[in-house]
Amino acid sequence: MSESSAAAGASGAFGGWRRATGIAGAAIGVVAAGAAATVAVERMTVGRNMRRKARLALDSAGPYGSLRGTPGRAYADDGTELYYETDEADDPDPAAEALSPRRRRLFGLKDPAPVTVVFSHGYCLGQDCWHFQRAALRGVVRSVYWDQRSHGRSGRGVAQSRDDVPLTIDQLGRDLKAVLDAAAPEGPVVLVGHSMGGMTVMALAAQYPELIRDRVVATAFVGTSSGRLGEVDFGLPPAGVNAVRRVLPGVLKALGQRAELVERGRRATADLFAGVIKRYSFAGRDIDPAVARFAERMIESTPIDVVAEFYPAFTDHDKTEALALFARQPVLVLAGVQDLVTPSEHSEAIADLLPDAELVLVPDAGHLVMLEHPEVVTDRLADLLTRAGAVPAGATVGDHGKASNASSTAQRG
């Protein structure tokens, strides 16, 4: 290649990158309004190289996301490979089992199949977001953690990448059914879903109501919504909300089409993205930097074309009617009071339709409440599992995370 042609190619690539980053900058500028001041202060007080070294140090030192189980693979109806891991329960103590005969009453079996707790994660996350709950429940109850299509260790969605089929929450519900068929084909099940994972659970119910009636013995909806997500204001003033609603879908689509260029540029805008991620993930100022970096790393690992592909599905999501299927079982509805992504009012709306559910609103908590206040989430999950007969009443669940403070949560039992 001649020098002139090489220069022209470089100029074209650089021009394309400038256009992509220009679009990205416009979108981020709107969404990041509340985080800009924090980022500006950081820029004045800490050098960029120092921040980069700090991120590397946190990545190498933090234990978060290091827990692994027995790997397995399920296959969705379009052939997408779905990765999951199973943590088996330790051999039960006969004396402890005698303390909780509920499972035998429910299923009429002398030796019923073990209860399996299946955890579904949210948008731009992965199964590792349940790190603290997984650490606490290991050995106590059989648990399955899976990565949604195009996230984590699961394969790229075949229907989307090959056939250009729009992603829907209904598809995610069918994916969860495939994981259940592979990882827990029989026996009672407890479903736990955060954000998009909770929507996935609702989509499963809408398409497989008999499964909810016959096998699901308890459900936890964490920081999620049954619909009307198009009305969320993300904590922005009206002008900013209108701009985001008008511009963001097109911006994400454009960025998704230039994924390679955008991924190259993520490093250059790492500080700004970190501020945005922190604002929309956590509410408290004293979040452990290693936990904040862990969340940032999970979100960063989601390719921009996947971010763009999933985003439109949330506006169409409405599974309010499916909630009635959970009315006759123990249900936990939990949310951070300061969640800007799926506001706590959406959890309250779910609880209003399930009046027997336990509603837990956690003050000073944002969207990633299971990482910000792991002790509260773990405590309420443990109680749910006990009520459902998934674990014996005498079982001990590990205390992982900060010290629990009963006065820090508002509940409606």
Side-chain angles (χ1 to χ4, degrees):
M1 179 183 293
S2 68
E3 290 185 9
S4 60
S5 62
S11 176
F14 181 70
W17 163 241
R18 284 200 303 181
R19 286 190 295 273
T21 52
I23 296 171
I28 293 168
V30 173
V31 177
T38 301
V39 174
V41 171
E42 287 184 352
R43 285 186 182 279
M44 289 188 292
T45 57
V46 185
R48 178 177 294 179
N49 287 338
M50 187 176 294
R51 290 196 300 275
R52 181 180 62 81
K53 290 177 181 178
R55 285 195 292 269
L56 292 173
L58 289 172
D59 288 346
S60 63
Y64 309 119
S66 61
L67 300 177
R68 300 269 65 90
T70 303
R73 286 170 175 78
Y75 292 89
D77 53 11
D78 66 348
T80 300
E81 184 177 87
L82 304 170
Y83 178 83
Y84 66 87
E85 293 181 357
T86 305
D87 290 350
E88 298 291 348
D90 293 339
D91 291 336
D93 178 355
E97 282 281 285
L99 295 174
S100 181
R102 175 176 165 81
R103 279 196 296 147
R104 290 184 172 83
R105 293 201 309 271
L106 280 172
F107 300 99
L109 301 173
K110 183 177 181 181
D111 294 307
V115 175
T116 301
V117 186
V118 181
F119 288 81
S120 300
H121 69 79
Y123 182 44
C124 298
L125 298 173
Q127 62 174 269
D128 291 340
C129 72
W130 300 106
H131 175 87
F132 290 108
Q133 292 70 44
R134 186 171 190 171
L137 294 174
R138 293 199 110 178
V140 177
V141 64
R142 186 175 191 267
S143 302
V144 172
Y145 305 84
W146 69 292
D147 292 323
Q148 301 254 23
R149 65 171 52 217
S150 302
H151 289 68
R153 296 172 178 82
S154 284
R156 189 74 170 80
V158 171
Q160 288 71 53
S161 60
R162 184 191 65 191
D163 303 325
D164 201 27
V165 175
L167 189 282
T168 64
I169 302 298
D170 284 337
Q171 176 65 72
L172 303 184
R174 296 194 297 274
D175 290 353
L176 176 53
K177 176 62 162 57
V179 171
L180 288 169
D181 289 345
E186 60 181 15
V189 174
V190 174
L191 300 174
V192 181
H194 168 253
S195 191
M196 183 177 76
M199 301 173 206
T200 299
V201 170
M202 297 175 204
L204 173 77
Q207 296 171 94
Y208 305 97
E210 70 287 348
L211 188 152
I212 305 301
R213 287 193 297 263
D214 298 343
R215 295 188 55 201
V216 176
V217 297
T219 304
F221 294 112
V222 181
T224 190
S225 172
S226 62
R228 303 180 69 178
L229 287 167
E231 301 174 8
V232 174
D233 63 15
F234 303 107
L236 298 172
V241 174
N242 293 335
V244 168
R245 289 174 182 165
R246 184 175 63 255
V247 174
L248 191 56
V251 167
L252 287 175
K253 184 176 180 180
L255 294 179
Q257 292 170 346
R258 294 178 176 272
E260 185 176 344
L261 289 172
V262 174
E263 295 302 334
R264 286 185 208 163
R266 273 190 170 184
R267 192 174 304 170
T269 56
D271 294 335
L272 181 55
F273 273 111
V276 174
I277 290 170
K278 187 173 182 180
R279 171 170 168 76
Y280 286 97
S281 298
F282 308 107
R285 292 177 175 271
D286 60 345
I287 186 70
D288 181 344
V291 172
R293 174 56 190 160
F294 171 50
E296 182 185 337
R297 196 168 67 242
M298 277 191 291
I299 294 169
E300 281 179 346
S301 69
T302 307
I304 190 63
D305 54 332
V306 173
V307 176
E309 182 178 280
F310 274 64
Y311 182 79
F314 300 115
T315 303
D316 297 333
H317 167 66
D318 185 351
K319 291 292 181 287
T320 304
E321 292 184 4
L323 291 174
L325 294 163
F326 300 96
R328 296 187 178 182
Q329 60 178 252
V331 174
L332 168 67
V333 182
L334 185 147
V337 172
Q338 298 183 53
D339 189 335
L340 299 176
V341 180
T342 50
S344 59
E345 290 82 3
H346 287 236
S347 289
E348 292 182 87
I350 293 172
D352 285 343
L353 295 172
L354 298 170
D356 293 330
E358 178 186 23
L359 174 63
V360 179
L361 301 179
V362 186
D364 198 29
H367 190 56
L368 300 188
V369 61
M370 66 283 197
L371 293 176
E372 188 169 15
H373 291 280
E375 75 292 349
V376 175
V377 177
T378 300
D379 178 70
R380 302 326 303 152
L381 278 178
D383 182 72
L384 177 72
L385 296 178
T386 300
R387 286 190 286 127
V391 299
T396 300
V397 174
D399 181 17
H400 291 264
K402 296 176 290 186
S404 180
N405 181 352
S407 65
S408 69
T409 58
Q411 300 184 39
R412 185 204 73 188

